[in-house]
Amino acid sequence: MSATTGRRSAETAPDTGQAGSTGRKPGLGLKTRRRLTTGIKLGLLTLAVIYALFPVVWVISSSVNPTNSIVGQGLIPAGATLENFRSLVGDPANPFPLWMWNSIKISAISSFFVVVACALAAYSFSRFRYRGRRAGLLSVLLVQLFPNLLTIVALYLLLQQIGQVFPSFGLNSHGGLILIYAGGALGIYTWLMKGYFDTIPKELEESAMVDGASRLQSFIYVFLPMVRPILAVVGVLTFIATYADFLLPRVLLTSTDQYTLALGMYQFISEQYTQQWGIFSAAALVGALPIVIVFFALQRQLVGGLTSGGVKG
Amino acid sequence: MGKTLLRLGALMVIDAAALGFAYALYANGTIAFAVVLLAVTALINVIFLSERLAPWRWISPGLALMALLVLYPTAYTVYIGLTNYGDEHLLSRGQAIAQLENEYFTPEEAPTYGWTAYRSPGEDLLLYLESGEAGAFVATEEGTQPAAERLGSEPAGPPEQIDDYARLDQNETVGVLAQLEDFAAPAGETGPQGSEVRVVSFDEAAPQFQRYDYEALTGELTDNEAGTVYEAEDGFFVSEGGERISPGFATVVGAENFTRIFTDPNIRGPFVGVFVWTVVFAAMSVVTTFALGVGLAMLLNDERLPFRGLFRSLTIVPYTIPFFITALVWVGLLNPIYGPINQIIEFFTGLSPQWFSDGTLAKVAILMINLWLGFPYMMIVCLGALQSIPEEVYEAAAIDGANAFHRFFYVTLPLLLVSVGPLLLGVFAFNFNNFGIIELVTQGGPPNPEAGTPAGQTDILISYTYRLAFASGQGTDYGLAAAVSVFIFMLIAVITIFNFRLTRRLEEVS
């Protein structure tokens, strides 16, 4: 059913709804009513899809537009070309591939640290009973509520001081950035993992330990393979959040070759907005594609993690 | 047994690394962090050596990272908020004194000299000094002699070689400028008693005295040239007449930054504006995204709907794209001259809204963009919550004669709020600190002409903090920025307490 029909029906819908307080609609059979509501719904949803997708369609269109300028773009460009994608490579002032690599490297290493620290902590919270366990769980959650961007002044000054002694962990270094991301490891994801760990029966590790494995061995060889899905979810969610982070790179990174993709694209477009629109669009597509693919591939698992884990950030 | 040894070995490696790290930091003046690092290391040792604390071993890596990179910076933020650390107060007191003690002055009666530099194979420097009235001298760090005495005869000008010191040409001289800056020779006959000959500029050297003397016992700084005495006050050395010496230094000023927020009209004005807009922005973001999200979720919550999965997937696309990309794309979409949205608006109305140069429109633009970015999350969340509402509730409502309107506002919405209420507060808190959208879309602009601090009209508290600290033409003020951060901390704490209360009450409802 087309969007126009849907909209026309939408106008009549409230009348019928309010008139029949008993829920009966005079003159309409059940089947017709059902079809009408479905039509309205499909029409409205089509509008929503148009709303959700038009910026994306526009970016795709400009990325293959030969003019490269934001000016006078039609939706379907004449003489579509991949020239803009080719320009992404080989511009020394705006090294998109390097920025993307930086982003992927920083995000991957950070999420590795986060997953390791989180899994270890969640295992302790899930498997052992001891004094301070509840307090530990609560404080992990509490600390998470205060995002590290509030301490940005202190982090900046701290990295400045560290950098005077160890430049690879100071300002304008990936090491320092990764360290800060890893510092936020314990948090809501520890809870997410703990919840999952609780569903794994203890007996499997215990039988391995009866067979002579140590606690650590049973953790690595028996337990971890069983919880791989949740490790993947936390890893991917952390990766996506780190990949999209903007504040920390903006404050801490200063030289072009250290930039992340977020920072690089921001600088690129704020300098030459209207002239380089095509190249920017191509970069946007290339930069977004891996994340979009991963998201849809793991949609079911990720959505569960997101809705229990608060907001993407 | 082997395991214990392994553990001890690993601990020793960690300890050695931490000690080295802490010592290097300490030697460089980063004392507090070095101490925290050592404390964390000590704690790790205790945890790994005590059998009773075994469960904490698993948590210790994450905990150590948290202590060093979350808790320490938090405490440090509070401390900075109590200091005047910023543009004119970037040095520590010790550094400021050291820098002042490195200043010199030329007494009025002293002659000045032209100079030529010489260098020995051992990299020592020598100056050949010439002055019309005082004559020529040879100066090394050991002492100064009249040239005739040193060379045996009155020279006609600077010779090629003095002993094993070779004369430097202009390029070579530039190469040793840093070394020349530290060069000081006892003045001897070239100037007053007790002064030292120093290089003053590229063509002048003069006998000089140290300008300032710092007396550690009294904390007084004396200006030897004018005879003035200065005392430390609020991060400056100030004379009795109120005269200040630059550079100042960072010092604890107590609650001054906090009181400035509420009393200094230059700061209070923009701060109130920023605060109000922060709350409005966060609240409106929640309301708009929730309204659209619920609407779409209601539409999709129909298992017989054709293409349901497809619609669901397509509408969450905005959520899957990294937000820095979509935010920048939206800035292009809203470009007042070339952007497609304005072209459409202009086609129908003849008007072209200036999204980013008008304060109100910029706010509208930000909310519109945030709606687009945020509604899919709300939709996903609400869809899950709607599916968990049992069908019987609706049947009961229908028996009671509820129409669609009643069903939504008296059944669906309250039940929905029970399950997604805490998430709504989470979204509120997230947007409260949503630096990214502000910085990517408007950089806080358009500027607020009345603000005495760099606050733009769309700045929220966190981007305002950022601008105070890092990005302003009006100077950096780390102290004030940290104080604003602490203020945000407290606000979030209040929201959190409220959230916990609400969660509990909502749990009681269901």
Side-chain angles (χ1 to χ4, degrees):
Chain A
M1 193 165 289
S2 78
T4 8
T5 341
R7 225 177 300 146
R8 198 188 320 127
S9 328
E11 281 156 20
T12 58
D15 295 352
T16 48
Q18 247 133 26
S21 58
T22 53
R24 289 277 142 73
K25 307 268 159 19
L28 281 175
L30 214 64
K31 234 180 182 170
T32 329
R33 255 181 63 208
R34 168 83 207 155
R35 252 186 237 152
L36 200 62
T37 17
T38 308
I40 297 166
K41 282 180 179 174
L42 288 180
L44 291 173
L45 283 171
T46 309
L47 286 178
V49 168
I50 293 173
Y51 171 62
L53 291 188
F54 87 92
V56 181
V57 172
W58 187 60
V59 167
I60 295 175
S61 144
S62 4
S63 74
V64 293
N65 191 318
T67 56
N68 194 19
S69 157
I70 201 170
V71 187
Q73 252 194 35
L75 191 58
I76 299 157
T81 158
L82 292 179
E83 194 48 46
N84 289 325
F85 290 91
R86 230 166 282 142
S87 320
L88 291 181
V89 191
D91 175 2
N94 297 293
F96 286 102
L98 178 67
W99 291 340
M100 195 151 162
W101 165 243
N102 286 346
S103 277
I104 291 175
K105 184 182 79 180
I106 292 170
S107 310
I109 299 176
S110 304
S111 41
F112 172 77
F113 279 124
V114 170
V115 168
V116 170
C118 250
L120 289 172
Y123 184 76
S124 170
F125 286 133
S126 167
R127 287 302 192 253
F128 306 117
R129 293 290 174 271
Y130 48 92
R131 265 185 65 192
R133 172 177 167 276
R134 226 183 98 77
L137 264 172
L138 281 179
S139 45
V140 157
L141 197 59
L142 215 59
V143 167
Q144 171 92 4
L145 291 167
F146 300 94
N148 63 8
L149 49 85
L150 285 181
T151 59
I152 190 71
V153 176
L155 287 172
Y156 175 84
L157 295 172
L158 178 64
L159 284 202
Q160 192 178 49
Q161 291 158 8
I162 293 180
Q164 287 166 2
V165 189
F166 306 100
S168 48
F169 292 102
L171 287 180
N172 198 27
S173 76
H174 293 164
L177 198 57
I178 290 169
L179 217 53
I180 294 177
Y181 288 132
L186 296 193
I188 195 84
Y189 293 148
T190 318
W191 281 62
L192 193 65
M193 278 198 188
K194 180 200 166 275
Y196 193 91
F197 289 2
D198 286 344
T199 66
I200 307 283
K202 263 186 184 161
E203 287 70 29
L204 289 162
E205 305 138 68
E206 277 167 3
S207 69
M209 283 165 73
V210 169
D211 289 347
S214 71
R215 180 60 88 169
L216 193 62
Q217 281 167 333
S218 74
F219 172 75
I220 295 174
Y221 298 111
V222 181
F223 186 78
L224 280 188
M226 287 189 293
V227 295
R228 238 181 281 153
I230 195 73
L231 301 185
V233 166
V234 170
V236 169
L237 286 177
T238 315
F239 185 94
I240 292 177
T242 317
Y243 188 86
D245 185 39
F246 179 66
L247 175 73
L248 283 174
R250 174 97 167 104
V251 173
L252 302 177
L253 302 180
T254 47
S255 64
T256 314
D257 58 337
Q258 295 289 89
Y259 280 2
T260 61
L261 187 64
L263 190 52
M265 285 181 64
Y266 170 76
Q267 297 288 46
F268 175 74
I269 208 63
S270 54
E271 274 161 26
Q272 28 203 343
Y273 215 106
T274 43
Q275 290 82 39
Q276 304 284 357
W277 191 253
I279 296 178
F280 174 80
S281 300
L285 284 183
V286 175
L289 212 58
I291 305 290
V292 175
I293 289 172
V294 168
F295 197 96
F296 277 105
L298 296 173
Q299 198 186 141
R300 194 179 299 261
Q301 294 89 323
L302 289 186
V303 164
L306 282 170
T307 44
S308 60
V311 197
K312 179 168 89 164
Chain B
M1 190 56 203
K3 260 170 58 192
T4 318
L5 278 180
L6 196 68
R7 188 188 307 155
L8 284 178
L11 268 185
M12 274 161 67
V13 171
I14 291 174
D15 290 352
L19 265 176
F21 211 88
Y23 178 74
L25 288 169
Y26 176 83
N28 194 49
T30 312
I31 296 160
F33 188 66
V35 170
V36 174
L37 183 61
L38 287 181
V40 167
T41 316
L43 204 62
I44 288 179
N45 279 285
V46 172
I47 287 176
F48 275 87
L49 291 174
S50 148
E51 225 26 72
R52 207 168 54 84
L53 293 176
W56 290 96
R57 288 175 195 165
W58 302 78
I59 311 172
S60 58
L63 221 48
L65 285 170
M66 184 197 272
L68 292 173
L69 295 153
V70 179
L71 299 182
Y72 171 74
T74 306
Y76 192 26
T77 305
V78 176
Y79 171 75
I80 297 169
L82 298 174
T83 69
N84 61 0
Y85 201 1
D87 231 9
E88 290 185 294
H89 307 275
L90 286 172
L91 303 173
S92 73
R93 187 179 165 125
Q95 285 169 322
I97 291 168
Q99 192 169 325
L100 287 170
E101 283 183 335
N102 217 4
E103 283 185 25
Y104 301 90
F105 72 98
T106 314
E108 259 173 50
E109 70 276 17
T112 57
Y113 299 85
W115 56 272
T116 313
Y118 292 73
R119 189 171 52 180
S120 75
E123 306 268 294
D124 287 328
L125 292 180
L126 176 149
L127 290 187
Y128 178 85
L129 306 168
E130 274 176 307
S131 153
E133 33 189 305
F137 293 89
V138 173
T140 66
E141 303 237 282
E142 279 78 48
T144 307
Q145 292 168 293
E149 208 174 288
R150 172 72 182 252
L151 301 170
S153 63
E154 192 70 42
E160 279 293 327
Q161 189 89 17
I162 301 177
D163 301 339
D164 56 347
Y165 290 89
R167 194 170 76 190
L168 301 179
D169 64 25
Q170 199 161 351
N171 282 338
E172 291 168 327
T173 308
V174 170
V176 296
L177 268 187
Q179 207 185 335
L180 276 170
E181 257 172 44
D182 292 333
F183 179 89
E189 293 164 34
T190 58
Q193 182 88 42
S195 61
E196 287 180 319
V197 175
R198 291 175 173 275
V199 171
V200 181
S201 69
F202 206 77
D203 37 39
E204 209 174 272
Q208 290 194 306
F209 287 108
Q210 184 172 325
R211 171 102 189 243
Y212 297 104
D213 273 322
Y214 180 68
E215 182 56 62
L217 271 182
T218 55
E220 281 175 352
L221 191 79
T222 312
D223 182 341
N224 293 323
E225 186 176 18
T228 330
V229 175
Y230 295 83
E231 275 180 51
E233 195 185 304
D234 293 340
F236 280 111
F237 282 107
V238 188
S239 75
E240 224 164 280
E243 205 185 326
R244 287 170 163 185
I245 307 178
S246 264
F249 49 89
T251 184
V252 174
V253 291
E256 195 186 297
N257 289 318
F258 295 90
T259 49
R260 265 166 79 205
I261 295 176
F262 298 106
T263 55
D264 184 339
N266 278 334
I267 298 173
R268 187 182 57 203
F271 184 83
V272 170
V274 167
F275 177 69
V276 169
W277 162 238
T278 309
V279 176
V280 170
F281 162 71
M284 286 301 290
S285 295
V286 173
V287 170
T288 52
T289 54
F290 181 68
L292 187 56
V294 171
L296 291 176
M298 300 274 292
L299 293 176
L300 283 171
N301 189 29
D302 174 353
E303 282 174 11
R304 284 180 296 175
L305 193 77
F307 310 117
R308 184 166 172 248
L310 182 69
F311 277 118
R312 188 175 165 280
S313 295
L314 289 178
T315 38
I316 65 170
V317 163
Y319 191 63
T320 64
I321 304 171
F323 102 108
F324 69 90
I325 290 177
T326 33
L328 290 173
V329 166
W330 269 95
V331 177
L333 279 167
L334 292 174
N335 183 298
I337 304 166
Y338 311 114
I341 291 186
N342 270 48
Q343 286 176 353
I344 294 170
I345 295 178
E346 204 172 354
F347 180 79
F348 284 112
T349 66
L351 299 169
S352 183
Q354 298 297 303
W355 294 109
F356 303 116
S357 41
D358 179 276
T360 314
L361 283 177
K363 289 175 180 176
V364 172
I366 283 179
L367 283 172
M368 277 178 6
I369 297 174
N370 219 19
L371 170 63
W372 188 85
L373 290 169
F375 83 87
Y377 173 75
M378 289 293 194
M379 188 187 80
I380 297 168
V381 166
C382 292
L383 202 52
L386 283 179
Q387 281 160 356
S388 68
I389 297 178
E391 195 59 35
E392 295 81 51
V393 183
Y394 290 113
E395 281 162 19
I399 289 167
D400 288 347
N403 61 27
F405 177 84
H406 289 140
R407 275 209 307 269
F408 179 74
F409 281 100
Y410 297 116
V411 182
T412 313
L413 197 58
L415 285 174
L416 204 58
L417 283 175
V418 169
S419 47
V420 305
L423 288 175
L424 293 188
L425 272 167
V427 174
F428 181 87
F430 170 78
N431 280 308
F432 201 86
N433 290 313
N434 195 343
F435 171 81
I437 183 119
I438 304 293
E439 188 64 11
L440 287 167
V441 176
T442 65
Q443 292 90 51
N448 182 353
E450 288 151 35
T453 52
Q457 296 190 46
T458 53
D459 260 324
I460 57 175
L461 283 171
I462 186 72
S463 64
Y464 177 54
T465 310
Y466 165 83
R467 239 166 286 289
L468 282 176
F470 303 110
S472 89
Q474 298 173 37
T476 57
D477 194 337
Y478 295 128
L480 186 60
V484 175
S485 295
V486 173
F487 185 77
I488 306 176
F489 260 109
M490 294 193 263
L491 284 174
I492 293 184
V494 171
I495 296 174
T496 307
I497 293 169
F498 186 70
N499 195 357
F500 278 156
R501 286 255 173 88
L502 188 72
T503 317
R504 208 179 308 147
R505 196 175 314 148
L506 290 172
E507 272 164 8
E508 282 160 12
V509 170
S510 58

